[in-house]
Amino acid sequence: RQRTLRATIEWSSELLDDDEQELFACLAVFTGGCRRDDLAAVCGADTLRLAGLVEKSMVRRRLDPGGVDRYWMLETIREFAVERLAGLPGAGDLRRRHAYRFLEVAATTWALFVAGSASQSEFERLATDEGNLRSALEELRDAGDADALGRLCAALFFDWYFRGNPAEGADWARTALRS
Protein backbone atom coordinates (compact mmCIF):
# COMPACT_ATOMS: atom_id res chain seq x y z
CA ARG A 1 0.00 0.00 0.00
CA GLN A 2 2.80 2.40 0.91
CA ARG A 3 4.68 1.52 -2.28
CA THR A 4 1.56 2.21 -4.32
CA LEU A 5 1.11 5.60 -2.63
CA ARG A 6 4.78 6.44 -3.18
CA ALA A 7 4.56 5.36 -6.83
CA THR A 8 1.52 7.60 -7.29
CA ILE A 9 3.31 10.59 -5.74
CA GLU A 10 6.39 9.91 -7.84
CA TRP A 11 4.28 9.65 -11.00
CA SER A 12 2.52 12.92 -10.14
CA SER A 13 5.81 14.69 -9.49
CA GLU A 14 7.17 13.55 -12.84
CA LEU A 15 4.27 15.36 -14.53
CA LEU A 16 5.57 18.66 -13.15
CA ASP A 17 7.76 20.80 -15.37
CA ASP A 18 11.36 21.43 -14.24
CA ASP A 19 10.58 24.71 -12.45
CA GLU A 20 7.64 23.15 -10.62
CA GLN A 21 9.77 20.16 -9.59
CA GLU A 22 12.38 22.49 -8.15
CA LEU A 23 9.76 24.47 -6.24
CA PHE A 24 8.13 21.23 -5.06
CA ALA A 25 11.45 20.12 -3.55
CA CYS A 26 12.08 23.58 -2.14
CA LEU A 27 8.75 23.57 -0.33
CA ALA A 28 9.94 20.61 1.73
CA VAL A 29 12.20 22.92 3.72
CA PHE A 30 9.08 24.33 5.40
CA THR A 31 7.68 22.41 8.35
CA GLY A 32 3.94 22.91 8.58
CA GLY A 33 3.68 25.10 5.51
CA CYS A 34 4.43 28.72 4.82
CA ARG A 35 3.09 32.02 3.59
CA ARG A 36 3.74 33.19 0.05
CA ASP A 37 6.18 35.87 1.25
CA ASP A 38 8.18 33.21 3.13
CA LEU A 39 8.28 31.09 0.01
CA ALA A 40 9.44 34.02 -2.09
CA ALA A 41 12.15 34.95 0.45
CA VAL A 42 13.50 31.42 0.79
CA CYS A 43 12.91 29.89 -2.65
CA GLY A 44 12.41 32.89 -4.89
CA ALA A 45 9.11 31.33 -5.95
CA ASP A 46 6.77 33.10 -8.29
CA THR A 47 3.01 32.97 -8.10
CA LEU A 48 2.58 31.12 -11.40
CA ARG A 49 4.70 28.11 -10.37
CA LEU A 50 3.01 27.98 -6.99
CA ALA A 51 -0.43 28.09 -8.59
CA GLY A 52 0.61 25.19 -10.83
CA LEU A 53 1.49 23.06 -7.80
CA VAL A 54 -1.82 23.90 -6.13
CA GLU A 55 -3.73 23.15 -9.33
CA LYS A 56 -1.98 19.77 -9.60
CA SER A 57 -2.83 18.97 -5.95
CA MET A 58 0.81 18.69 -4.88
CA VAL A 59 0.40 21.68 -2.57
CA ARG A 60 -2.64 22.81 -0.57
CA ARG A 61 -3.74 26.32 0.27
CA ARG A 62 -5.68 27.60 3.26
CA LEU A 63 -5.97 30.79 5.25
CA ASP A 64 -3.86 31.07 8.38
CA PRO A 65 -5.31 32.64 11.57
CA GLY A 66 -4.24 36.07 10.32
CA GLY A 67 -6.27 35.62 7.12
CA VAL A 68 -3.19 35.19 4.92
CA ASP A 69 -2.82 32.37 2.36
CA ARG A 70 -0.71 29.52 3.71
CA TYR A 71 0.69 26.77 1.50
CA TRP A 72 1.38 23.28 2.79
CA MET A 73 1.75 19.66 1.73
CA LEU A 74 0.15 16.51 2.97
CA GLU A 75 2.75 14.74 5.09
CA THR A 76 3.17 11.78 2.73
CA ILE A 77 3.80 14.17 -0.15
CA ARG A 78 6.18 16.25 1.97
CA GLU A 79 8.20 13.14 2.89
CA PHE A 80 8.71 12.51 -0.83
CA ALA A 81 9.61 16.17 -1.37
CA VAL A 82 12.18 15.99 1.46
CA GLU A 83 13.98 13.27 -0.50
CA ARG A 84 13.94 15.51 -3.57
CA LEU A 85 15.21 18.43 -1.50
CA ALA A 86 18.23 16.38 -0.41
CA GLY A 87 19.14 15.98 -4.09
CA LEU A 88 18.95 19.68 -4.92
CA PRO A 89 22.26 21.46 -5.42
CA GLY A 90 22.42 24.11 -2.74
CA ALA A 91 20.00 22.37 -0.33
CA GLY A 92 22.17 23.52 2.58
CA ASP A 93 21.94 27.14 1.42
CA LEU A 94 18.20 26.74 1.15
CA ARG A 95 17.97 25.49 4.75
CA ARG A 96 20.08 28.44 5.92
CA ARG A 97 17.87 30.93 4.03
CA HIS A 98 14.90 29.28 5.72
CA ALA A 99 16.52 29.65 9.15
CA TYR A 100 17.36 33.32 8.56
CA ARG A 101 13.87 34.02 7.24
CA PHE A 102 12.30 32.74 10.43
CA LEU A 103 14.88 34.57 12.52
CA GLU A 104 13.62 37.70 10.73
CA VAL A 105 9.96 36.77 11.42
CA ALA A 106 10.66 36.23 15.13
CA ALA A 107 12.82 39.36 15.45
CA THR A 108 10.16 41.50 13.78
CA THR A 109 7.50 40.19 16.16
CA TRP A 110 9.80 40.80 19.13
CA ALA A 111 10.45 44.39 17.99
CA LEU A 112 6.71 45.00 17.64
CA PHE A 113 6.14 43.50 21.09
CA VAL A 114 8.78 45.74 22.69
CA ALA A 115 7.29 48.77 20.93
CA GLY A 116 3.85 47.84 22.25
CA SER A 117 2.39 47.49 18.78
CA ALA A 118 2.33 43.71 18.28
CA SER A 119 -1.12 42.47 17.36
CA GLN A 120 -2.67 39.13 18.14
CA SER A 121 -2.04 38.03 14.54
CA GLU A 122 1.74 38.38 15.00
CA PHE A 123 1.62 36.07 18.02
CA GLU A 124 -0.65 33.67 16.14
CA ARG A 125 1.86 33.65 13.31
CA LEU A 126 4.59 32.46 15.66
CA ALA A 127 2.29 29.70 16.89
CA THR A 128 1.37 28.71 13.33
CA ASP A 129 5.04 28.68 12.32
CA GLU A 130 6.21 26.74 15.37
CA GLY A 131 7.52 23.92 13.16
CA ASN A 132 9.46 26.34 10.96
CA LEU A 133 10.89 28.11 14.01
CA ARG A 134 12.05 24.81 15.50
CA SER A 135 13.60 23.81 12.18
CA ALA A 136 15.37 27.18 12.12
CA LEU A 137 16.71 26.63 15.64
CA GLU A 138 17.97 23.18 14.67
CA GLU A 139 19.58 24.42 11.44
CA LEU A 140 21.38 27.26 13.20
CA ARG A 141 22.57 24.88 15.93
CA ASP A 142 23.75 22.30 13.39
CA ALA A 143 25.49 24.98 11.31
CA GLY A 144 27.30 26.23 14.41
CA ASP A 145 25.92 29.76 13.97
CA ALA A 146 25.87 30.68 17.65
CA ASP A 147 25.22 34.37 17.00
CA ALA A 148 22.09 33.78 14.90
CA LEU A 149 20.94 31.01 17.26
CA GLY A 150 21.28 33.37 20.21
CA ARG A 151 19.35 36.10 18.39
CA LEU A 152 16.57 33.68 17.52
CA CYS A 153 16.38 32.45 21.11
CA ALA A 154 16.19 36.03 22.38
CA ALA A 155 13.46 36.88 19.86
CA LEU A 156 11.43 33.80 20.82
CA PHE A 157 11.87 33.87 24.56
CA PHE A 158 8.78 36.02 25.18
CA ASP A 159 6.73 33.65 23.00
CA TRP A 160 7.99 30.59 24.89
CA TYR A 161 7.18 32.33 28.16
CA PHE A 162 3.66 33.44 27.23
CA ARG A 163 2.76 30.11 25.66
CA GLY A 164 3.95 28.21 28.72
CA ASN A 165 7.23 26.82 27.37
CA PRO A 166 9.94 28.75 29.26
CA ALA A 167 11.90 25.53 29.86
CA GLU A 168 12.22 24.99 26.11
CA GLY A 169 13.48 28.55 25.73
CA ALA A 170 16.00 28.04 28.52
CA ASP A 171 17.22 24.80 26.89
CA TRP A 172 17.72 26.54 23.55
CA ALA A 173 19.44 29.50 25.24
CA ARG A 174 21.88 27.11 26.95
CA THR A 175 22.51 25.44 23.60
CA ALA A 176 23.26 28.82 22.02
CA LEU A 177 25.63 29.75 24.83
CA ARG A 178 27.50 26.45 24.50
CA SER A 179 27.94 26.94 20.73
Side-chain angles (χ1 to χ4, degrees):
R1 196 165 161 175
Q2 289 288 46
R3 283 184 288 200
T4 302
L5 179 58
R6 180 176 171 73
T8 301
I9 295 169
E10 186 169 4
W11 175 78
S12 295
S13 75
E14 289 171 0
L15 296 176
L16 303 174
D17 67 33
D18 290 344
D19 288 340
E20 289 172 332
Q21 286 187 24
E22 184 179 334
L23 179 56
F24 174 70
C26 180
L27 272 160
V29 77
F30 295 97
T31 305
C34 64
R35 292 178 170 192
R36 187 177 307 173
D37 59 337
D38 300 326
L39 191 57
V42 174
C43 303
D46 62 66
T47 305
L48 189 57
R49 287 191 299 161
L50 184 58
L53 291 176
V54 171
E55 184 178 299
K56 293 171 183 159
S57 300
M58 299 301 280
V59 174
R60 305 285 179 145
R61 185 181 64 146
R62 69 171 177 251
L63 293 179
D64 71 7
V68 177
D69 282 340
R70 187 167 187 83
Y71 297 89
W72 57 283
M73 294 178 180
L74 296 171
E75 194 55 35
T76 52
I77 294 174
R78 184 176 178 274
E79 288 171 9
F80 181 83
V82 166
E83 293 173 19
R84 296 296 169 111
L85 172 63
L88 276 183
D93 290 337
L94 188 64
R95 285 190 290 277
R96 278 186 287 290
R97 282 197 309 271
H98 173 271
Y100 285 111
R101 171 62 181 178
F102 285 93
L103 168 58
E104 177 186 342
V105 167
T108 299
T109 304
W110 168 246
L112 291 170
F113 175 72
V114 169
S117 60
S119 69
Q120 185 64 32
S121 66
E122 274 95 16
F123 294 112
E124 289 171 350
R125 167 124 196 237
L126 293 181
T128 302
D129 277 315
E130 183 176 7
N132 285 315
L133 291 163
R134 283 205 174 122
S135 292
L137 288 162
E138 292 166 3
E139 173 59 30
L140 295 171
R141 176 198 62 208
D142 295 348
D145 192 341
D147 178 59
L149 180 59
R151 288 185 292 138
L152 183 52
C153 288
L156 287 175
F157 203 81
F158 76 100
D159 186 58
W160 283 319
Y161 179 79
F162 287 122
R163 290 190 331 154
N165 298 319
E168 179 181 7
D171 288 344
W172 277 109
R174 281 190 288 278
T175 299
L177 291 171
R178 283 192 303 263
S179 297

